[in-house]
Amino acid sequence: MSEQPILVTGGAGFIGSNLVDALLARGNSVRVLDNLSMGKLANLPMDNPRLTFIEGDVADAGLVSRAVAGCAAVVHLAAVASVQASVDDPVSTHQSNFIGTLNLCEAMREHAVRRVVFASSAAVYGNNGEGQAIDENTAKSPLTPYAADKLASEHYLQFYGRQHGLEPAIFRFFNIFGPRQDPSSPYSGVISIFTQRAQQGLPISVFGDGEQTRDFFFVADLVELLLQALDAQQVAPGAVNVGWNEAVSLKQLLAQIGELLGGLPAVTHLDGRPGDIRHSRADNRRLIEHYRLPVQTSLRDGLAALLNS
Ligand code: NAD
Ligand code: UD2
């Protein structure tokens, strides 16, 4: 195993900290760069001697350069992950969600670090492809600053790939769920909100009729893909959707949570969210072509793990 660390930006957050655990478990050294705006030190095994934590901002070019120096590869997860935050404050979130990526590209060029795994989002498709399995060639329609920053980040990573030898492995995540996903904002992932409220016996709000569907992917399964992307001889060209091509409605989700907990608190239906996508499901043929699919953690098993965490 390489002595050079893997840099995980956003490594104190939900997906990042799950990845850090897996990297440390297989013997990697890990450097985390996180400004703790959403992430928490409590998510990280701070006493592990193979973990180095750098508190700071990916918008700080000098700091990013120092963080990248000497690393074997990078997984770039740092971003303001709330779409609504980008709508409310596009200037500030752009610093994290786009300038951070550009700083990273420059730092990797400077230090000749090639491999970078990037967390893009199904948000780049906007409402296009809705109701079908959405493939990667679906016309892009970034409807929010968050989506525009993700798509621009993809384009810059590809440019640095062509021009400067970076090896970007770009994933477009659909709906990731699991332990450490923060339920504290109304725009947090629906599973983190529903499970927390159900466990606390608090009423649950469903926006709309609850027949809307999502393609839910358990975080440990995602981590397996991120590790493969770090290790692959060559990266898959272009971007790759991460989803199971499976549609689960909110009603089905609530039924499963209710079964696991032996009941549910009151469920209220409110007006649908403006701009809410009705059906979101990934065409995952490129994922299957380029990666070994993890053994799927079923929604039920993933929910059980989350409820026990
Ligand atoms: P998260 O908020 O738990 O993790 C993001 C981390 O980045 C946090 O620890 C936060 O403190 C850190 N961060 C934010 N701005 C930063 C900055 N300027 N400098 C340094 N650190 C900064 O969210 P997550 O769900 O783990 O998301 C990880 C990545 O995956 C994000 O890029 C997100 O956009 C992307 N993504 C997530 C989902 C999902 O379903 N969770 C879907 C699509 C894409
Ligand atoms: C996800 C991503 C978003 C973007 C988008 C791209 C998260 C948190 N959001 O948005 O970043 O990538 O996909 O398509 O991963 N809902 C309720 N009650 C609640 C909360 C949510 O009914 O308390 C509904 C919500 O209206 C939606 C569904 O649950 O219909 C899923 O909501 P979400 O915020 O978890 O995710 P999504 O798909 O809107």
Side-chain angles (χ1 to χ4, degrees), residues 81 83 121-123 146 175 181 186-190 193-194 205-207 212 214 250 273 276-277 280:
V83 175
S121 165
Y146 172 84
N175 292 68
Q181 190 168 29
Y187 296 97
S188 299
V190 66
I193 295 175
F194 282 6
S205 301
V206 172
F207 301 121
Q212 66 264 51
R214 293 293 184 271
L250 295 193
R273 272 183 180 164
D276 209 11
I277 292 178
S280 172

Side-chain angles (χ1 to χ4, degrees), residues 284-300:
N284 60 5
R285 281 175 295 182
R286 296 202 76 233
L287 183 67
I288 292 167
E289 188 186 337
H290 293 288
Y291 294 90
R292 288 185 315 283
L293 276 192
V295 175
Q296 182 174 3
T297 304
S298 65
L299 181 64
R300 190 188 171 83

Side-chain angles (χ1 to χ4, degrees), residues 9-16 33-40 56-59 76-82 95-97 118-122 146 150 172-177 180-182:
T9 72
F14 158 49
I15 296 170
L33 173 61
D34 198 299
N35 67 358
L36 300 181
S37 55
M38 284 299 292
K40 300 183 193 80
D57 202 306
V58 288
H76 182 39
L77 302 171
V80 177
S82 161
Q95 294 299 315
S96 299
N97 294 1
F118 177 61
S120 187
S121 165
Y146 172 84
K150 287 292 186 192
R172 295 184 184 138
F173 303 161
F174 279 62
N175 292 68
I176 313 299
F177 76 103
R180 302 188 192 141
Q181 190 168 29
D182 187 335

